[in-house]
Amino acid sequence: METLSFPINTLINSKANYISLTASTNYASLSSLQLSPSSTSTPLCWKGVVRVQAESEDFELKQMRDMAAARKRWEALIRDGKVKVLTPREAGYAVQLSNKPLLDVRPSNEHYKAWVRGSTWIPIFDVDHTLDAGTIPRKITNFVIGGWWSGMPTLSYESQFLAKVEEKFPKDTELIVACQKGVRSLAACELLYNAGYKNLFWVQGGLEAAEDEDLVVEGPVPLKFAGIGGVSEFLGWTDQQRAAAAKEGWGYRLVFSARLLGILLAADALFIGAQQIGHYLQEIRTH
């Protein structure tokens, strides 16, 4: 999962991750973890877990409401023909045969893994590297609600996105807009259309939906793998890796099976080691 802040009420959601685009940067505070003593018998750490879980659930409900509103706006843009739809293959033809510009709005953690040759990279959101009182709670929330699994970092809106696009492309440009899964690019299309760009083309399904022959790709990994990470990637439990395993056969699967076995053995060794240390400390106390 990924957590973003953005100055309009919008939401992007998918199975693997979601993007919150809210009117402010104030997310559910995790300050409740700084608990004061209580006269009840409930352990303090358990109270902290319960409160974090409740805040995460409220956060997700807000995400769902925002997503519904965003999807209605984006569907209207496409239905009214204000933003045209291209498949990844059609986008590839337009880029290679007609020399149409492709605007890659993905964050740096995805773009650096794989990109379309000749594309222009201007992220609408990028990895938030700041560490302050406002961003640390968001980063903790992002990690707790799925960042550890998906590997998606906390992202923040790039305030210079429109200015950089306007500097690079005139407003009458026939501009193809793409992201990894096809959702952040819709948010970009909405911003660009409202800023005066009227010849916009959206890549449906994102670059992840492209087949190997659709686009000329550069970078260390295939486009399909540019959006995965975290524990799920390490264990090979993403949809993209499962699809690759179906093609590659057992040799591909054995690599990730070995990793899972290694984790289980390491966890078992740590558990046994902790038991031994506990017994050793107990013997010291008794003597």
Side-chain angles (χ1 to χ4, degrees):
M1 292 185 174
E2 55 187 294
T3 308
L4 317 177
S5 58
F6 188 58
I8 58 174
N9 292 322
T10 335
L11 173 83
I12 311 169
N13 198 16
S14 70
K15 288 184 179 178
N17 53 60
Y18 60 80
I19 304 170
S20 165
L21 313 178
T22 60
S24 71
T25 58
N26 295 323
Y27 286 77
S29 173
L30 298 183
S31 59
S32 57
L33 290 175
Q34 299 175 353
L35 300 171
S36 57
S38 172
S39 59
T40 65
S41 59
T42 305
L44 294 182
C45 61
W46 176 247
K47 287 183 179 180
V49 171
V50 171
R51 291 186 184 183
V52 170
Q53 182 178 3
E55 288 174 352
S56 296
E57 290 175 353
D58 292 341
F59 185 74
E60 290 179 4
L61 288 174
K62 185 180 186 305
Q63 303 271 334
M64 293 173 65
R65 289 194 297 267
D66 289 343
M67 179 184 69
R71 289 191 180 279
K72 287 182 180 179
R73 293 198 309 273
W74 296 337
E75 288 171 0
L77 283 175
I78 294 172
R79 183 177 61 249
D80 298 340
K82 296 176 180 178
V83 175
K84 288 114 180 137
V85 179
L86 295 177
T87 65
R89 178 164 297 182
E90 291 170 337
Y93 289 151
V95 171
Q96 297 169 43
L97 302 179
S98 301
N99 202 30
K100 293 289 190 296
L102 188 149
L103 177 62
D104 184 347
V105 300
R106 296 176 300 161
S108 56
N109 63 300
E110 295 176 354
H111 175 263
Y112 290 160
K113 294 179 181 179
W115 59 91
V116 177
R117 181 184 297 174
S119 62
T120 298
W121 177 56
I122 304 176
I124 184 171
F125 309 106
D126 208 356
V127 178
D128 191 342
H129 294 292
T130 58
L131 289 173
D132 54 39
T135 59
I136 290 176
R138 288 198 294 116
K139 291 184 177 185
I140 294 174
T141 302
N142 175 64
F143 182 81
V144 169
I145 62 179
W148 65 273
W149 178 254
S150 68
M152 181 58 66
T154 302
L155 306 178
S156 60
Y157 174 63
E158 283 291 313
S159 60
Q160 295 300 308
F161 170 72
L162 280 175
K164 291 179 180 179
V165 175
E166 290 172 347
E167 182 181 349
K168 183 72 176 179
F169 302 107
K171 292 189 176 179
D172 59 352
T173 303
E174 293 184 340
L175 190 59
I176 302 171
V177 185
C179 66
Q180 188 65 23
K181 296 179 179 293
V183 282
R184 282 171 293 202
S185 52
L186 271 175
C189 284
E190 181 181 28
L191 281 178
L192 292 169
Y193 183 84
N194 292 336
Y197 286 87
K198 306 304 180 184
N199 297 309
L200 296 171
F201 297 84
W202 169 62
V203 180
Q204 188 175 29
L207 300 177
E208 186 174 289
E211 299 299 332
D212 294 340
E213 65 274 11
D214 292 343
L215 299 160
V216 180
V217 179
E218 298 177 337
V221 302
L223 272 175
K224 290 182 182 294
F225 289 0
I228 64 177
V231 176
S232 61
E233 180 187 20
F234 181 78
L235 295 177
W237 285 354
T238 66
D239 292 338
Q240 297 88 335
Q241 289 168 305
R242 283 194 290 267
K247 295 180 180 179
E248 298 290 336
W250 283 103
Y252 189 89
R253 298 177 187 178
L254 284 174
V255 172
F256 298 103
S257 299
R259 291 181 181 180
L260 177 59
L261 180 61
I263 289 176
L264 293 176
L265 291 174
D268 191 48
L270 287 173
F271 178 74
I272 294 173
Q275 283 187 321
Q276 294 297 326
I277 292 173
H279 292 321
Y280 178 71
L281 294 175
Q282 188 174 7
E283 289 179 1
I284 292 177
R285 289 174 184 171
T286 55
H287 292 334

